[in-house]
């Protein structure tokens, strides 16, 4: 169970870290907004951060047999 928690926290950190670095660097360096790639970088970082919600059920199903059994019963197998 502790392994699953470590994997979920690591996934959360990896997904949210680029967006948080972007926001931290944006205020001391406002010239970041002037760059041509800014809208694309922000969109990619934001989508990566929100993708964490998609990874959670996959991680839980992969690492926890009771969750896996619940998925099997719910979706019929």
């Amino acid at each position: 169970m502790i392994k699953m928690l470590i994997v979920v926290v690591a996934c959360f950190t990896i997904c949210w870290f680029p967006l948080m670095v972007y926001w931290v660097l944006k205020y001391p360096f406002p010239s970041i907004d002037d760059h041509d790639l800014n809208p694309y970088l922000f969109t990619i970082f934001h989508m990566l951060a929100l993708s964490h919600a998609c990874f959670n059920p996959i991680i839980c199903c992969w690492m926890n047999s009771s969750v896996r059994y619940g998925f099997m019963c719910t979706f019929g197998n």
Side-chain angles (χ1 to χ4, degrees):
M1 193 60 103
I2 191 76
K3 291 178 187 177
M4 185 176 74
L5 178 64
I6 292 170
V7 171
V8 169
V9 170
C11 181
F12 178 85
T13 304
I14 291 167
C15 288
W16 280 94
F17 187 72
L19 185 64
M20 294 299 110
V21 169
Y22 173 83
W23 282 115
V24 167
L25 292 178
K26 184 178 176 178
Y27 290 107
F29 304 107
S31 62
I32 290 176
D33 287 338
D34 298 335
H35 200 275
D36 292 337
L37 292 176
N38 182 45
Y40 302 111
L41 284 177
F42 176 77
T43 302
I44 290 169
F45 292 160
H46 194 236
M47 288 175 64
L48 178 65
L50 297 178
S51 71
H52 176 257
C54 299
F55 296 139
N56 265 346
I58 294 168
I59 293 169
C60 291
C61 186
W62 167 50
M63 298 191 81
N64 191 330
S65 60
S66 62
V67 173
R68 192 176 322 122
Y69 179 75
F71 271 112
M72 297 267 209
C73 290
T74 302
F75 296 113
N77 188 3

